[in-house]
């Protein structure tokens, strides 16, 4: 009790704030025990709401990460190490979030619009009978948000008068400020404690964790959402074998570029090649795939259909490699190289190495 009193000294509990308070759901990388880049972006977005942030971190190592790696832009981090939370199953997490949101009177809930967030947010909204505001790209005030509609062709400004705003954020729209997210929080609180008495949901029989796809992260390849460079392949690669032979070595060659500190490029793909079975659908970029904004996006044999552009057009530098002129991708590309991927990609790979 003495330790807890010290921890709470000078730090008001969330419900004593007059204007509002934010609960941010964050995740950690279980291999490295550090917060995921998406979570850092989520906190960056939460900060724009200009009110105290409490972070919620769940999983068997959440205690370590809460203390070691949660930035001090959050005033408090709640964690729970129950094994049930290890695979971020929404069936367990959503009722817990609702419980916390209600009991502590949070006015805002923020989560990344990634596969975990897309699973949790609608459930939380349904349980609370509130309308979620999904995939926002900007925060204008505590009740006004900007979100893309029609595959990113229009930005809608939406206002919510709901008592609790339930928001998911597009992580690429909230770049991480390294300095702000470096420092560590000094107030990590295990739940349930006397003050945070929440029920951990009992075992759910209807769903069971079977496994997850880790294609992108094997051998240290970065996540599509956090990669600085993405090499992306389309139907111009023709076959699965050709995709592996040409795209993978080029992505790996970025390890040798000093600027990238031994980190390979991530691999992306169009829906055409995902549907053709060249790669796993977790690599799909676009309207119905991932939305990315790396420093460098290399589009190889990709025509630039509007649904693909919706997922990558905010990349800082876009390079298109295509054997035809006047493909739609060229309209948004900073550099276009007209050539056959079978010739250009091996040459590029060799030059990088
Ligand atoms: P293509 O359009 O066939 O283009 C292939 C390109 O390769 C051409 O430009 C060609 O000139 C070039 N090429 C061919 N041979 C070579 C060579 N040897 N060397 C160099 N270049 C070569 N698509 C997505 O990507 N992501 C999505 O999320 C997505 N969501 C969709 C949602 C809906 C509702 C719908 C209807 C479609 C969606 N699509 C999506 C599909 C999209 O419309 C396109 O069909 C798809 O993006 C085309 O992929 P592609 O560029 O690989 O193929």
């Amino acid at each position: 009790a003495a330790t807890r009193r010290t921890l709470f000294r000078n730090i008001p509990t969330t419900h004593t704030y007059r204007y509002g308070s934010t609960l941010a759901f964050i995740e950690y990388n279980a291999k490295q025990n550090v917060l995921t880049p998406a979570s850092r972006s989520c906190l960056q977005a939460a900060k724009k709401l200009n009110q105290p942030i409490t972070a919620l971190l769940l999983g068997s190592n959440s205690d370590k990460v809460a203390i070691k790696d949660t930035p001090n832009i959050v005033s408090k981090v709640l964690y729970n190490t129950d094994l049930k939370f290890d695979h971020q199953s929404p069936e367990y997490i959503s009722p817990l979030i609702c419980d916390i949101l209600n009991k502590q009177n949070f006015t805002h809930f923020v989560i990344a619009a990634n596969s975990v967030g897309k699973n949790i947010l609608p459930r939380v909204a349904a349980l609370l009978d509130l309308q979620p505001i999904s995939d926002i790209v900007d925060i204008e005030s505590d009740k006004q948000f900007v979100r893309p509609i029609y595959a990113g062709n229009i930005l809608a400004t939406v206002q919510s008068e709901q008592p609790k705003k339930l928001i998911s954020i597009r992580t690429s729209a909230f770049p991480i400020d390294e300095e702000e997210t470096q420092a560590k929080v000094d107030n990590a609180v295990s739940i349930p404690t006397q003050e945070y008495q929440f029920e951990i949901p009992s075992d759910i029989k209807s769903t069971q964790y079977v496994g997850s796809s880790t294609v992108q992260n094997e051998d240290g390849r970065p996540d599509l959402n956090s990669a600085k460079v993405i090499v992306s392949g389309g139907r111009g690669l023709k076959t699965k074998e050709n995709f592996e032979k040409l795209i993978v070595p080029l992505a790996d060659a970025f390890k040798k570029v000093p600027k990238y500190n031994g980190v390979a490029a991530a691999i992306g793909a169009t829906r055409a090649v995902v549907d053709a079975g060249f790669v796993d659908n977790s690599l799909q970029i676009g309207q119905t795939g991932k939305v990315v904004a790396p420093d460098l996006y290399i589009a190889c044999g990709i025509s630039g259909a509007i649904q693909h552009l919706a997922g990558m057009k905010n990349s800082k530098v876009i390079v298109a490699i295509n054997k035809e002129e006047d493909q739609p991708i060229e309209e948004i590309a900073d550099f276009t190289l007209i050539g056959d991927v079978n010739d250009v990609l091996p040459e590029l790979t060799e030059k990088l190495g």
Side-chain angles (χ1 to χ4, degrees), residues 233 269-277 284-285 288 307-308:
T270 63
R271 177 159 150 184
V273 303
V274 168
D275 287 351
Q284 183 179 317
I285 290 169
T288 42
Q307 296 89 352
H308 187 74

Side-chain angles (χ1 to χ4, degrees), residues 39-66:
S39 296
R40 290 188 189 279
S41 294
C42 189
L43 293 175
Q44 210 75 57
K47 187 169 171 268
K48 276 195 108 175
L49 288 165
N50 240 342
Q51 51 195 24
I53 306 166
T54 297
L56 175 64
L57 187 64
L58 301 170
S60 49
N61 281 335
S62 59
D63 51 344
K64 299 182 189 76
V65 184

Side-chain angles (χ1 to χ4, degrees), residues 4-23 51-55 74-78 100 103-107 187-189 191 193-198:
R4 287 197 54 234
R5 255 200 304 279
T6 319
L7 277 175
F8 282 102
R9 199 179 50 210
N10 297 332
I11 303 168
T13 50
T14 323
H15 47 279
T16 60
Y17 284 96
R18 252 181 81 198
Y19 296 109
S21 51
T22 304
L23 180 70
Q51 51 195 24
I53 306 166
T54 297
V74 314
S75 42
K76 187 175 291 180
V77 51
L78 305 176
I100 296 174
K103 286 191 180 146
Q104 293 298 313
N105 255 337
F106 284 99
T107 53
N187 194 3
V189 183
I191 48 171
T193 64
Q194 206 177 356
E195 185 179 353
Y196 287 91
Q197 199 55 252
F198 301 105

Side-chain angles (χ1 to χ4, degrees), residues 171-176 178 222-232 254 257-261 263-266 285 291-299 311-320 332-335:
T171 54
S172 58
F174 297 93
I176 302 162
E178 291 295 345
D223 200 66
L224 272 174
N225 288 317
S226 60
K228 296 223 178 315
V229 182
I230 296 177
V231 178
S232 198
F254 277 88
V257 180
K259 186 176 166 188
Y260 299 114
N261 292 327
V263 179
I285 290 169
V291 178
V292 297
D295 291 347
L296 174 61
Y297 188 90
I298 307 181
M312 46 64 75
K313 67 181 175 199
N314 291 329
S315 306
K316 293 196 184 70
V317 176
I318 298 170
V319 175
I332 62 151
D334 299 278
F335 302 95

Side-chain angles (χ1 to χ4, degrees), residues 7-199:
L7 277 175
F8 282 102
R9 199 179 50 210
N10 297 332
I11 303 168
T13 50
T14 323
H15 47 279
T16 60
Y17 284 96
R18 252 181 81 198
Y19 296 109
S21 51
T22 304
L23 180 70
F25 181 83
I26 54 175
E27 299 165 69
Y28 62 93
N29 174 322
K31 274 190 191 149
Q32 294 153 354
N33 280 346
V34 293
L35 284 194
T36 59
S39 296
R40 290 188 189 279
S41 294
C42 189
L43 293 175
Q44 210 75 57
K47 187 169 171 268
K48 276 195 108 175
L49 288 165
N50 240 342
Q51 51 195 24
I53 306 166
T54 297
L56 175 64
L57 187 64
L58 301 170
S60 49
N61 281 335
S62 59
D63 51 344
K64 299 182 189 76
V65 184
I67 292 156
K68 182 176 79 96
D69 201 44
T70 314
N72 68 4
I73 56 172
V74 314
S75 42
K76 187 175 291 180
V77 51
L78 305 176
Y79 64 85
N80 190 280
T81 54
D82 196 304
L83 288 175
K84 282 185 196 124
F85 297 128
D86 266 356
H87 305 297
Q88 310 292 7
S89 301
E91 290 82 359
Y92 290 115
I93 295 175
S94 312
L96 180 72
I97 290 172
C98 293
D99 203 14
I100 296 174
L101 286 173
N102 278 336
K103 286 191 180 146
Q104 293 298 313
N105 255 337
F106 284 99
T107 53
H108 291 73
F109 173 66
V110 182
I111 193 165
N114 56 14
S115 49
V116 173
K118 284 176 184 169
N119 240 340
I120 292 175
L121 187 73
R123 286 178 162 86
V124 170
L127 289 168
L128 295 176
D129 200 15
L130 291 170
Q131 187 175 1
I133 306 160
S134 60
D135 211 17
I136 65 158
V137 293
D138 200 9
I139 294 172
E140 293 190 343
S141 73
D142 62 351
K143 56 180 175 181
Q144 201 159 300
F145 313 98
V146 180
R147 59 185 302 270
I149 54 173
Y150 300 120
N153 287 310
I154 293 177
L155 290 176
T157 302
V158 296
Q159 190 165 314
S160 167
E161 299 296 340
Q162 296 185 122
K164 291 187 197 304
K165 278 85 175 162
L166 310 175
I167 306 159
S168 69
I169 63 121
R170 184 174 284 194
T171 54
S172 58
F174 297 93
I176 302 162
D177 181 328
E178 291 295 345
E179 264 176 37
E180 278 184 351
T181 54
Q182 274 309 313
K184 309 294 175 268
V185 70
D186 59 0
N187 194 3
V189 183
S190 160
I191 48 171
T193 64
Q194 206 177 356
E195 185 179 353
Y196 287 91
Q197 199 55 252
F198 301 105
E199 278 174 32

